[in-house]
Amino acid sequence: MNNKIMPRKLAGFWELEPEKEMLFEEMIDKIKSVFAKHCFMPLDTPAMELSEILLAKSGGDVDKEVYRFTKGSTDACLRYDLTVPLARFVAANENNLAFPFKRFQIGKVYRGERPQKGRFREFYQCDADVIGDGELSLVNDAECVKLYKDVFDEFNLKGQVKVSNRKVLFGLAKALGLEEKFGDIAIIMDKLDKIGEQNVEEQLSEIGCSNTDAEKLIKLTKISGYEDAIEKASCLSNDEEFVCGLNELKNVVSYVRAMGLGEDDFVLDFGVIRGHNYYTGTVFEAYVDGCSGAVGGGGRYENLAEYFTDRKLPGVGMSIGMSRLFDYLDQSGYFGDEVKSATQVAIIPLGDTLLDCLNTCAKLQANGVKAEVFAENKSFKSKMKEANRKRASYALIMGEDEVKNCVFALKNMSTGEQESLTEQQLLNKF
Amino acid sequence: MNNKIMPRKLAGFWELEPEKEMLFEEMIDKIKSVFAKHCFMPLDTPAMELSEILLAKSGGDVDKEVYRFTKGSTDACLRYDLTVPLARFVAANENNLAFPFKRFQIGKVYRGERPQKGRFREFYQCDADVIGDGELSLVNDAECVKLYKDVFDEFNLKGQVKVSNRKVLFGLAKALGLEEKFGDIAIIMDKLDKIGEQNVEEQLSEIGCSNTDAEKLIKLTKISGYEDAIEKASCLSNDEEFVCGLNELKNVVSYVRAMGLGEDDFVLDFGVIRGHNYYTGTVFEAYVDGCSGAVGGGGRYENLAEYFTDRKLPGVGMSIGMSRLFDYLDQSGYFGDEVKSATQVAIIPLGDTLLDCLNTCAKLQANGVKAEVFAENKSFKSKMKEANRKRASYALIMGEDEVKNCVFALKNMSTGEQESLTEQQLLNKF
């Protein structure tokens, strides 16, 4: 039989080896516990939506990248983010939900783009959003910032959230008569860190900003700090929108301070813009010390579900870049060496003791111990090797004499020490 | 704006309201903990595979039901089960994996069939499999049975696993000269419970079984019990395969007994056949008292990845019907009333106390309490109503006097009782 099929997966699709997957799930569980403490509820939407729904507000790249297909009379797409499904869910259930509605979702999304380093066609998104009915307190914006802080604490990470408000830059642009061009301005200025001041000025001039205006805009984005930064910025304009944005920031700062965040944990930074024109108020990006690029971002949007309902549903949301966070945790040694194994106790029969091994294994498992019997027909030596390879914490060697005398020989696989225990001592050990 | 889009999801796609989703995830976590105790590792494969891979061993219904599409030069399908991806993964990593390889996977699969009651186009599968290299001890078959027992215990369910071995029926058919027809025979006899003895006899006669032969086959499938059942069955044939199947069952019984399973927990039942011709040895089905239909099933298969590799990789696997189990748990009151809320403590500001509320909320969350501040601009009355609707366990009402005097008024939302606590007492309360 030589017509075998190459067992390959699709290019650009992520798949962790089981040892890494254990760690990834540990990370997910910890993030979930943070969302739970903040009273966010889980949502699990289908991976597919009707194309009419999914593409309602998209365009450009999304249309090109989306996986779309028909089956019978159904025209469907794989979701490319978790926000459109949230909008569909909230609009469909607007009369049954308690607002503000706080949900989180950790799920895979699909983008048929060219795979690149760090860019996948299938990847996890992790979003937490709060949706209000008509209006929504800025406390929720502050809570998004606090969520990052709690996630950082959960993983013993040092990090900082940079916070701004889109109304501030928009108000300044408006005061300069550049209101119409704001979409482009935001996209260009979001690249400041990447392409540098000169290139930004050039690109701004290409869309018709004067040098003086460009300098004023850039000046704003260089301001950072706390209450002092708000004061410093306030000299730049007295446009109504501008002032409103600064006042919102003032409130958000007072809320995050009340939540216990210190100046290590957050900073106002008018350089945070977020390319997405979706955002209309508070915007933020979360950074971890030592990790290049943001591990998350988000912000406030005016109206989640305008394509589906007349009801005004403002929201604010934060997201976490799961693969970036995981890679950082993994590489920085967060997961340590000790808990990497699925097997705590490898039970190794020696002689005719298989049934006794199974019995002991069941007792250990009943006590919550991750135990397994190495029952295959292999040599004792190869089983000990196997226990090592699986990084089992302990090997329990059960020979016929041990069974007869009810003695349990437990070997610590990292120190090599071996002790003799009674059954009760063994069960109490874990 | 009246050209709104109806926010509807695709027909036949499951989506739980967040309150139910919390319970569903609680169920998943408990099942995962059982797999972990048995040292199974998690695997998370992509939702899509190359069509060449996915359809390698399929045919008939699968080809019709699968969601298949092309994107650029890629011809891909959504997975219709978790076994083909497992086979692809194991074959691709055969030189890096430690065998026996024990993995579980809980993930969604996709079938574009006509939606019916209890049948979905997207649904969760939950599989645990052990794959051996060349051979695989029957201890693993017994462990699958034990997994059900431990899942039942985890949910305080009474249930029983019915165990058989396909070699027994096959051996009997062979002894009767019906070897060639065994595939059809198994499919027909698997329907015994549904269509009754007479219909089975008729269908068997249609494919050329004599009445005497049909009676012999049916006689076997009526035998059930323990060691006695093996003895009873052994009179029916001395075909080599038949005897081998009985011996395998004898071993499996001794293993599950050693694992502590009693006669309430399992039974041999030669009526268990499993329609799928994939199975070659041990087969089993798991039943929960009071729940109609099996909540799971599985068995032994000779060669997992024969389409991808020459290496012989026998396996045994069990699966759990997630929506059936969930519906049963939910309807039988398993989840109770108390823990259904995402909110333990609803903090309600009264007067100008918002910042104090945020501060207290952060302290409660830091102690692991699921707390949130009701910060929206609504009346006290409507906030209390909201706390009720969210089934918060407690309301913490923080008026200006309370804040001044450092007194915390905590109201038990189910009893209506209210107590006054110091901050320390409040934090110690949970």
Side-chain angles (χ1 to χ4, degrees), chain B residues 118-148:
Chain B
R119 284 210 160 190
F120 296 94
R121 287 174 168 165
E122 179 192 59
F123 58 96
Y124 276 96
Q125 279 200 342
C126 168
D127 286 5
D129 291 81
V130 191
I131 313 301
D133 181 15
E135 35 180 2
L136 182 68
S137 162
L138 289 167
V139 164
N140 299 289
D141 304 47
E143 191 170 21
C144 287
V145 177
K146 177 67 157 68
L147 280 170
Y148 287 115

Short mmCIF file of all heavy atoms in Angstrom, two decimals, chain B residues 118-148:
data_model
loop_
_atom_site.label_atom_id
_atom_site.label_comp_id
_atom_site.label_asym_id
_atom_site.label_seq_id
_atom_site.Cartn_x
_atom_site.Cartn_y
_atom_site.Cartn_z
N GLY B 118 -32.81 17.92 18.11
CA GLY B 118 -31.64 17.23 18.67
C GLY B 118 -30.51 17.00 17.69
O GLY B 118 -29.50 16.40 18.02
N ARG B 119 -30.69 17.44 16.44
CA ARG B 119 -29.60 17.30 15.46
C ARG B 119 -29.18 18.67 14.99
O ARG B 119 -30.00 19.45 14.53
CB ARG B 119 -30.07 16.50 14.25
CG ARG B 119 -30.17 15.04 14.53
CD ARG B 119 -29.90 14.29 13.24
NE ARG B 119 -29.52 12.92 13.54
CZ ARG B 119 -29.05 12.07 12.65
NH1 ARG B 119 -28.89 12.47 11.40
NH2 ARG B 119 -28.72 10.85 12.99
N PHE B 120 -27.91 18.95 15.10
CA PHE B 120 -27.44 20.28 14.76
C PHE B 120 -26.42 20.22 13.62
O PHE B 120 -25.85 19.18 13.34
CB PHE B 120 -26.82 20.94 15.99
CG PHE B 120 -27.81 21.17 17.08
CD1 PHE B 120 -27.97 20.25 18.10
CD2 PHE B 120 -28.62 22.30 17.06
CE1 PHE B 120 -28.92 20.46 19.11
CE2 PHE B 120 -29.54 22.51 18.06
CZ PHE B 120 -29.70 21.59 19.09
N ARG B 121 -26.24 21.36 12.98
CA ARG B 121 -25.24 21.46 11.92
C ARG B 121 -23.87 21.80 12.49
O ARG B 121 -22.85 21.58 11.87
CB ARG B 121 -25.67 22.52 10.91
CG ARG B 121 -26.83 22.04 10.06
CD ARG B 121 -27.33 23.16 9.17
NE ARG B 121 -28.24 22.63 8.17
CZ ARG B 121 -29.05 23.40 7.44
NH1 ARG B 121 -29.07 24.70 7.62
NH2 ARG B 121 -29.84 22.86 6.55
N GLU B 122 -23.89 22.41 13.65
CA GLU B 122 -22.64 22.67 14.38
C GLU B 122 -22.88 22.16 15.80
O GLU B 122 -23.86 22.59 16.42
CB GLU B 122 -22.33 24.16 14.41
CG GLU B 122 -21.05 24.50 15.18
CD GLU B 122 -20.89 26.00 15.46
OE1 GLU B 122 -21.78 26.59 16.12
OE2 GLU B 122 -19.91 26.58 15.03
N PHE B 123 -22.06 21.28 16.27
CA PHE B 123 -22.26 20.78 17.64
C PHE B 123 -20.93 20.32 18.23
O PHE B 123 -19.97 20.09 17.51
CB PHE B 123 -23.31 19.66 17.67
CG PHE B 123 -22.98 18.48 16.81
CD1 PHE B 123 -22.36 17.36 17.34
CD2 PHE B 123 -23.30 18.47 15.47
CE1 PHE B 123 -22.05 16.25 16.55
CE2 PHE B 123 -23.00 17.37 14.67
CZ PHE B 123 -22.38 16.27 15.20
N TYR B 124 -20.92 20.22 19.54
CA TYR B 124 -19.70 19.81 20.24
C TYR B 124 -19.55 18.30 20.22
O TYR B 124 -20.50 17.58 20.52
CB TYR B 124 -19.73 20.26 21.70
CG TYR B 124 -19.28 21.68 21.87
CD1 TYR B 124 -20.18 22.72 21.93
CD2 TYR B 124 -17.92 21.98 21.96
CE1 TYR B 124 -19.76 24.04 22.07
CE2 TYR B 124 -17.49 23.28 22.11
CZ TYR B 124 -18.40 24.31 22.17
OH TYR B 124 -17.97 25.59 22.31
N GLN B 125 -18.34 17.87 19.89
CA GLN B 125 -18.00 16.48 20.15
C GLN B 125 -16.98 16.46 21.26
O GLN B 125 -16.20 17.40 21.42
CB GLN B 125 -17.45 15.80 18.89
CG GLN B 125 -18.56 15.36 17.95
CD GLN B 125 -18.13 14.29 16.97
OE1 GLN B 125 -16.95 14.09 16.73
NE2 GLN B 125 -19.10 13.61 16.38
N CYS B 126 -17.02 15.39 22.01
CA CYS B 126 -16.11 15.22 23.13
C CYS B 126 -15.57 13.80 23.05
O CYS B 126 -16.30 12.85 23.27
CB CYS B 126 -16.89 15.43 24.43
SG CYS B 126 -15.99 14.94 25.90
N ASP B 127 -14.31 13.70 22.67
CA ASP B 127 -13.70 12.38 22.43
C ASP B 127 -12.45 12.20 23.28
O ASP B 127 -11.65 13.13 23.41
CB ASP B 127 -13.22 12.26 20.97
CG ASP B 127 -14.36 12.09 19.97
OD1 ASP B 127 -15.53 12.15 20.39
OD2 ASP B 127 -14.05 11.91 18.79
N ALA B 128 -12.28 11.02 23.83
CA ALA B 128 -11.00 10.65 24.43
C ALA B 128 -10.54 9.36 23.74
O ALA B 128 -11.33 8.42 23.63
CB ALA B 128 -11.13 10.43 25.93
N ASP B 129 -9.31 9.36 23.26
CA ASP B 129 -8.79 8.18 22.57
C ASP B 129 -7.39 7.85 23.06
O ASP B 129 -6.65 8.75 23.47
CB ASP B 129 -8.71 8.43 21.05
CG ASP B 129 -10.07 8.54 20.38
OD1 ASP B 129 -10.68 9.63 20.45
OD2 ASP B 129 -10.54 7.54 19.82
N VAL B 130 -7.07 6.58 23.01
CA VAL B 130 -5.69 6.13 23.27
C VAL B 130 -5.20 5.43 22.02
O VAL B 130 -5.88 4.53 21.51
CB VAL B 130 -5.62 5.11 24.44
CG1 VAL B 130 -4.17 4.88 24.83
CG2 VAL B 130 -6.44 5.55 25.62
N ILE B 131 -4.07 5.86 21.53
CA ILE B 131 -3.52 5.27 20.31
C ILE B 131 -2.21 4.56 20.65
O ILE B 131 -1.33 5.15 21.28
CB ILE B 131 -3.21 6.36 19.25
CG1 ILE B 131 -4.37 7.33 19.09
CG2 ILE B 131 -2.82 5.72 17.91
CD1 ILE B 131 -5.67 6.70 18.68
N GLY B 132 -2.12 3.30 20.25
CA GLY B 132 -0.91 2.54 20.52
C GLY B 132 -0.04 2.43 19.28
O GLY B 132 -0.47 2.75 18.18
N ASP B 133 1.17 2.00 19.48
CA ASP B 133 2.12 1.82 18.38
C ASP B 133 2.27 0.32 18.15
O ASP B 133 2.93 -0.36 18.93
CB ASP B 133 3.45 2.45 18.78
CG ASP B 133 4.49 2.35 17.68
OD1 ASP B 133 4.11 2.04 16.53
OD2 ASP B 133 5.67 2.57 17.97
N GLY B 134 1.62 -0.21 17.11
CA GLY B 134 1.71 -1.64 16.83
C GLY B 134 0.69 -2.43 17.62
O GLY B 134 -0.17 -3.10 17.08
N GLU B 135 0.76 -2.34 18.97
CA GLU B 135 -0.28 -2.99 19.77
C GLU B 135 -0.70 -2.07 20.89
O GLU B 135 -0.09 -1.03 21.14
CB GLU B 135 0.18 -4.35 20.30
CG GLU B 135 1.64 -4.43 20.66
CD GLU B 135 2.03 -5.81 21.19
OE1 GLU B 135 1.18 -6.72 21.24
OE2 GLU B 135 3.19 -5.95 21.59
N LEU B 136 -1.77 -2.46 21.55
CA LEU B 136 -2.34 -1.61 22.59
C LEU B 136 -3.07 -2.48 23.59
O LEU B 136 -3.97 -3.24 23.22
CB LEU B 136 -3.32 -0.61 21.95
CG LEU B 136 -3.97 0.41 22.89
CD1 LEU B 136 -2.94 1.40 23.42
CD2 LEU B 136 -5.09 1.16 22.18
N SER B 137 -2.67 -2.37 24.86
CA SER B 137 -3.24 -3.22 25.90
C SER B 137 -4.75 -3.02 26.05
O SER B 137 -5.26 -1.90 25.89
CB SER B 137 -2.55 -2.92 27.23
OG SER B 137 -3.31 -3.39 28.31
N LEU B 138 -5.45 -4.08 26.39
CA LEU B 138 -6.90 -4.00 26.65
C LEU B 138 -7.20 -3.20 27.91
O LEU B 138 -8.36 -2.86 28.16
CB LEU B 138 -7.49 -5.41 26.77
CG LEU B 138 -7.57 -6.21 25.46
CD1 LEU B 138 -7.86 -7.67 25.77
CD2 LEU B 138 -8.64 -5.63 24.55
N VAL B 139 -6.18 -2.91 28.70
CA VAL B 139 -6.38 -2.03 29.86
C VAL B 139 -6.97 -0.69 29.39
O VAL B 139 -7.77 -0.08 30.08
CB VAL B 139 -5.04 -1.80 30.59
CG1 VAL B 139 -5.12 -0.61 31.53
CG2 VAL B 139 -4.65 -3.05 31.37
N ASN B 140 -6.58 -0.26 28.19
CA ASN B 140 -7.09 1.01 27.68
C ASN B 140 -8.58 0.94 27.34
O ASN B 140 -9.29 1.93 27.46
CB ASN B 140 -6.28 1.44 26.46
CG ASN B 140 -4.83 1.65 26.82
OD1 ASN B 140 -4.49 2.60 27.51
ND2 ASN B 140 -3.97 0.71 26.41
N ASP B 141 -9.04 -0.22 26.90
CA ASP B 141 -10.48 -0.39 26.66
C ASP B 141 -11.21 -0.25 27.99
O ASP B 141 -12.24 0.41 28.09
CB ASP B 141 -10.77 -1.77 26.04
CG ASP B 141 -9.97 -2.00 24.75
OD1 ASP B 141 -8.75 -1.75 24.74
OD2 ASP B 141 -10.58 -2.42 23.76
N ALA B 142 -10.64 -0.91 29.02
CA ALA B 142 -11.26 -0.83 30.34
C ALA B 142 -11.24 0.61 30.85
O ALA B 142 -12.20 1.08 31.48
CB ALA B 142 -10.53 -1.75 31.32
N GLU B 143 -10.17 1.32 30.55
CA GLU B 143 -10.07 2.70 31.03
C GLU B 143 -11.16 3.58 30.41
O GLU B 143 -11.67 4.51 31.06
CB GLU B 143 -8.68 3.29 30.73
CG GLU B 143 -8.47 4.62 31.45
CD GLU B 143 -7.04 5.12 31.40
OE1 GLU B 143 -6.29 4.69 30.50
OE2 GLU B 143 -6.69 5.96 32.25
N CYS B 144 -11.52 3.31 29.17
CA CYS B 144 -12.62 4.08 28.56
C CYS B 144 -13.91 3.87 29.35
O CYS B 144 -14.69 4.81 29.57
CB CYS B 144 -12.83 3.64 27.11
SG CYS B 144 -11.53 4.21 26.01
N VAL B 145 -14.14 2.62 29.76
CA VAL B 145 -15.34 2.33 30.56
C VAL B 145 -15.27 3.08 31.89
O VAL B 145 -16.24 3.69 32.34
CB VAL B 145 -15.47 0.80 30.78
CG1 VAL B 145 -16.67 0.48 31.67
CG2 VAL B 145 -15.58 0.08 29.44
N LYS B 146 -14.08 3.06 32.49
CA LYS B 146 -13.89 3.77 33.76
C LYS B 146 -14.09 5.28 33.60
O LYS B 146 -14.59 5.94 34.51
CB LYS B 146 -12.47 3.46 34.28
CG LYS B 146 -12.07 4.17 35.58
CD LYS B 146 -12.87 3.68 36.78
CE LYS B 146 -12.15 3.92 38.10
NZ LYS B 146 -12.02 5.32 38.48
N LEU B 147 -13.72 5.82 32.45
CA LEU B 147 -13.91 7.25 32.21
C LEU B 147 -15.39 7.62 32.35
O LEU B 147 -15.74 8.64 32.95
CB LEU B 147 -13.40 7.65 30.82
CG LEU B 147 -11.89 7.85 30.66
CD1 LEU B 147 -11.53 7.98 29.18
CD2 LEU B 147 -11.41 9.09 31.41
N TYR B 148 -16.25 6.78 31.77
CA TYR B 148 -17.69 7.06 31.92
C TYR B 148 -18.11 7.06 33.39
O TYR B 148 -18.83 7.92 33.85
CB TYR B 148 -18.54 6.04 31.17
CG TYR B 148 -18.52 6.19 29.67
CD1 TYR B 148 -17.96 5.22 28.85
CD2 TYR B 148 -19.07 7.32 29.06
CE1 TYR B 148 -17.94 5.36 27.48
CE2 TYR B 148 -19.04 7.47 27.68
CZ TYR B 148 -18.48 6.47 26.89
OH TYR B 148 -18.47 6.63 25.54
#
